[in-house]
Amino acid sequence: MTTISQRDLRNDSARIMDRLEAGDSFTITRNGQPVGTLLPLKGPRLLVPTDELFAALSDLPPQDAAQLRADADSFFGDEGDRLA
């Protein structure tokens, strides 16, 4: 992680944003003391909008609920083994 001053952040914000977008992380200092961290927002999203989820799942084939239950019972055991 690169350490940069508040002044560098102010004066070179475009270059720093490009590096941030490329995956670099920064510790920001004020008067030589660390005050914060800039981290890229890459990686898996924690929330997906409902319409986007439905669109992604729309190409899946239809499922037979009875067959799904039979497969689950076969895999997990009989109903006495289920919690509820």
Side-chain angles (χ1 to χ4, degrees), residues 5-80:
S5 69
Q6 176 186 9
R7 177 180 293 147
D8 292 337
L9 178 60
R10 182 184 64 234
N11 293 340
D12 288 332
S13 62
R15 182 182 59 82
I16 291 167
M17 293 301 288
D18 289 341
R19 288 184 56 193
L20 189 64
E21 192 172 34
D24 290 347
S25 300
F26 300 91
T27 298
I28 310 301
T29 63
R30 178 187 286 164
N31 299 322
Q33 298 298 314
V35 294
T37 305
L38 285 176
L39 300 172
L41 290 178
K42 291 189 176 182
R45 293 185 298 177
L46 299 178
L47 301 173
V48 177
T50 306
D51 58 335
E52 191 174 322
L53 178 62
F54 285 141
L57 299 177
S58 67
D59 292 336
L60 293 176
Q63 299 298 308
D64 178 0
Q67 184 60 51
L68 184 60
R69 169 57 68 193
D71 291 344
D73 288 344
S74 173
F75 183 80
F76 292 109
D78 66 21
E79 292 197 31

